[in-house]
Amino acid sequence: MPPPSDIVKVAIEWPGANAQLIEIDQKKPLSSIIREVCDGWSLSGSEQFALRYADGPQLYITEQSRGEIKNGTILRLAISPARAARQLLDRIQSHGIDARLEALKELAKLSADPTFATEFINMDGISTLARLVESGTHFGEMLAFTLTAFLELMDHGIVSWDLISLSFIKQIAGYVNQPMVDVSILQRSLAILESMVLNSHSLYHRVAQEITVGQLIGHLSNQEIQTYAIALINALFLKAPEDRRQEMASTLAQKHLRSIILNHVIRGNRPIKAEMAHQLYVLQVLTFNLLEERMMTKMDPSDQAQRDIIFELRRIAFDGDNDPSNTEKRKAMYTKDYKMLGFTNHVNPAMDFTQTPPGMLALDNMLYLAKLHQDTYIRIVLENSSREDKHECPFGRCAIELTRMLCEILQVGELPNEGCNDYHPMFFTHDRAWEEFFCVCIQLVNKTWKEMRATAEDFNKVMQVVREQVTRALALKPSSLDQLKSKLRALSYSEILRLRQSERMNQDDFQSPPIIELRERIQPEILELIKQQRLNRLCEGSCFRKLGNRRRQEKFWFCRLSLNHKVLHYGDLDESPQGEVPFEMLSDKIPVSDIKSVVTGKDCPHMKEKSALKQNKEVLELAFSILYDPDEALNFVAPNKYEYCIWTDGLCALLGREMGSDLTRSDLDTLISMEMKLRLLDLENITIPEAPPPVPKEPSTYNFTYNYG
């Protein structure tokens, strides 16, 4: 007879004694169980003790978390969190240096435990650590452990960052500004300053007064602290008031941040890790977001300075000299010139720039092309002015639409997505990367227009092809603008057609009744095949990044389904796994029978609790949670859309529900199409007889044998 579900068999250790093998009754109070364990070793004062896990993070067990204890778990009897907090608080204030160092080491480790952290913070422990830092008496390893413990404690969100004193900020900033500081101290100091900036508006201003961008850029040559330094630059950039961002961007340009990142990070001698890739992506997004103001600014047709820019575009294309008198002489021909330039409104082209996006940003791009790539600009304009009217490529209209398209592709104006690593190396190779990118793409538009032999009616079709060309080229991550040009040359219109044809896989929509009936017969077995694939992937398991971890030491956890599809096993990992994670390493589990439902997006508990920065589209699209008895939740944020679809489909399949992800629909269409094509293959060069073949003669004897040897 199986044991009751509320009885858990565990082993409990105590230094210097044999382990106790006991059965924990989950209905009994935890204090009673601890008293029984203490009695087994003749220990008095059971209220001074607690149970902790012996492996992994070694967290304390509370009444709230005791339900996670599984059969076979090894526990350890330890002093209670309150007693441990009091002892460590006394020891870190002792006069013995060795005793203080050992206490800080232990504190740095224990501070990750929320139960201990709560007790330590309630004893005013954070203020004690802050005073130790402010005193300036701690150095080297002792200071590193102090800062680690401080950061771990603040990470729990129990107390507000606004309580941090100015003297503490000055001391931490001092470590960053000093020329010779231990790497471990510098890493923790940068991480603390980043958390201050991201979590408190008032602290942003204080940190910005103490830290200069030049000092942070100076740290980028050190590979051990590059990621921390860029993370703090991004935090200062992100939280800066809008009127300060352009000023900060100018400072970063003057300090040659881009070229330093290109030479010391992107082209450095070490591979770029996920956290560094994320910080480069954030910097890329924040840099492009500086374009948002111009993108959302309409042109004022009555503003003479803005109209002069259009005059300049016309002058460079058709006059070829700087004599202002020509402007007056050619007024009668302006309408014709503006038509040749490809503006929609030939009389007053300023009206073409009143739609946002792209607003004035399109005009900025056109002027950059005309001035910095004058030969290319004149060639495009004059080449089209000499074509037949119906085949000319309207430069002005194309430039405006292209600018809007590039803003959409690069998501100008949107906040960085948590966990996204999609940075493009080529944008770090030029000080005017956006404008140069536009110049490359406008030449692509002209080239594609000619290849398609397009007319004005084909404008939208051409721009759709250009979008596909640009998107495909960016996905290949060109390392420079020259590489981008090369990849775009390879993606000609004929190549796009070939790729589309290949990807479509001749998915013709057969509507005849026999074909529809065949599809309906095939669909259940294909769905079962997809379901088995999803469950097999869950059995292999996936690694998930812990959401909200702003420190550079990334934390991961792993989850996989048991081979009998009855239990989900999960647990924390120190680093991202390189292969299959055995069940023995996953200390926690959830019976599938206990799962009540699977929720996604905004319905997830961890999405309702997150800050505005994390409430962005991509994180919401990748979030899902398992709700299980009694009222618990296991929260996920998938690393990508594919893993999200695999896990939501697999969990729905486990619960006997319909798999409704985009991936399932795509797989279903692909597999049904392939299966139908196989069944409907033409029988080439095979003659089908009109009469059935003759039945063979009966054998002379039925004494058949089979040799198993």
Side-chain angles (χ1 to χ4, degrees), residues 63-79:
E63 287 289 355
Q64 292 73 32
S65 65
R66 62 183 295 180
E68 299 172 7
I69 302 174
K70 310 303 178 187
N71 277 321
T73 302
I74 301 175
L75 306 179
R76 180 174 296 154
L77 186 66
I79 58 174

Side-chain angles (χ1 to χ4, degrees), residues 274-275 542-547 549 552-558 571-577:
E275 183 58 36
S542 296
C543 181
F544 300 92
R545 182 170 173 258
K546 287 204 169 183
L547 188 63
N549 178 37
R552 305 288 72 77
Q553 296 90 353
E554 284 199 273
K555 293 187 177 179
F556 304 90
W557 66 286
F558 196 89
D572 292 339
L573 299 176
D574 293 332
E575 57 184 19
S576 181

